[in-house]
């Protein structure tokens, strides 16, 4: 039996921590859908199209990974994709309560789905999209945090004339 998994998130933008989870999950599951949440109320820096482009560029080498946008309830998207597993990254205890609540809620709503947590690579345990944006906003160096191919796109959002 093939195991198809969904890794959902905001990816605003994708960081080295996300990339690490995607590569590891792609090695564990037969197929992986990276699902980019389309939620304008979160006031994202990047459009969904920009996010899809960036993720595709970074993990496009992985043959069993697809990148898609979704809105509405995650469990509905996971069912529509015929997937059985939700993948989330776990950085620290601070992630735990929120993630546990969602994993449990999703089990109640959809008992056929399981959430699998991958613990972060220690190298990236401090890393979040918000940190990357905050540093880029003040023109700091983000080269250790994101894939080189998207650095200009991030810094461009904070350069004059935006
Ligand atoms: P969300 O708004 O859904 O939390 P994010 O894009 O912030 O979306 O995160 C998506 C997933 O990636 C979450 O499971 C989060 O815990 C995980 N993640 C974020 N940053 C890292 C990191 N540095 N290392 C491992 N996992 C991470």
């Amino acid at each position: 039996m093939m195991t198809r998994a969904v890794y959902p998130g905001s990816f605003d933008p994708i960081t080295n921590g996300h990339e690490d989870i995607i590569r590891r999950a792609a090695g564990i599951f037969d197929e992986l859908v990276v699902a980019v949440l389309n939620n304008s109320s979160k006031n994202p820096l990047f459009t969904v199209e920009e996010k899809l482009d960036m993720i595709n560029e970074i993990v496009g080498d992985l043959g069993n990974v697809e990148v898609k946008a979704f809105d509405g309830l995650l469990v509905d998207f996971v069912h529509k994709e015929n997937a059985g597993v939700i993948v989330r990254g776990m950085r620290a205890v601070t992630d735990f309560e929120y993630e546990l609540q969602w994993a449990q809620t999703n089990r109640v709503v959809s008992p056929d789905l399981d959430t699998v947590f991958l613990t972060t690579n220690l190298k990236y345990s401090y890393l979040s999209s918000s940190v990357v944006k905050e540093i880029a906003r003040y023109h700091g160096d983000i080269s250790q945090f994101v894939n080189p191919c998207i650095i200009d796109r991030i810094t461009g959002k904070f350069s004059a004339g935006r």
Side-chain angles (χ1 to χ4, degrees):
M1 214 186 83
M2 298 273 279
T3 312
R4 187 167 165 87
V6 171
Y7 175 40
S10 307
F11 304 105
D12 189 43
I14 178 176
T15 67
N16 288 341
H18 295 129
E19 178 180 351
D20 179 63
I21 298 286
I22 294 170
R23 291 188 181 281
R24 287 159 60 200
I28 295 170
F29 301 105
D30 297 305
E31 298 172 341
L32 181 72
V33 180
V34 179
V36 179
L37 179 65
N38 189 358
N39 180 356
S40 48
S41 71
K42 272 198 167 179
N43 204 7
L45 180 63
F46 292 96
T47 66
V48 171
E49 291 70 30
E50 289 172 321
K51 293 177 185 183
L52 297 175
D53 277 352
M54 289 189 283
I55 300 171
N56 270 316
E57 228 172 289
I58 292 168
V59 297
D61 59 306
L62 298 169
N64 62 339
V65 173
E66 290 168 88
V67 188
K68 298 184 175 181
F70 81 102
D71 50 27
L73 280 181
L74 173 63
V75 289
D76 292 339
F77 177 78
V78 177
H79 282 142
K80 203 178 72 181
E81 285 295 318
N82 289 316
V85 176
I86 298 166
V87 176
R88 296 285 287 174
M90 185 72 77
R91 280 166 293 189
V93 230
T94 41
D95 283 338
F96 184 77
E97 218 166 315
Y98 174 83
E99 294 294 341
L100 184 67
Q101 187 179 18
W102 267 115
Q104 290 174 333
T105 307
N106 288 341
R107 282 287 297 173
V108 172
V109 183
S110 305
D112 57 322
L113 301 183
D114 269 303
T115 302
V116 168
F117 295 100
L118 295 187
T119 52
T120 179
N121 185 322
L122 277 182
K123 272 198 309 202
Y124 305 130
S125 58
Y126 58 88
L127 189 53
S128 68
S129 299
S130 321
V131 162
V132 170
K133 285 182 277 193
E134 198 61 14
I135 294 174
R137 183 184 309 281
Y138 299 107
H139 311 295
D141 178 10
I142 56 169
S143 60
Q144 292 189 67
F145 309 138
V146 301
N147 192 289
C149 74
I150 64 168
I151 290 178
D152 288 349
R153 267 170 274 185
I154 301 168
T155 54
K157 290 279 183 185
F158 297 106
S159 56
R162 184 184 168 226

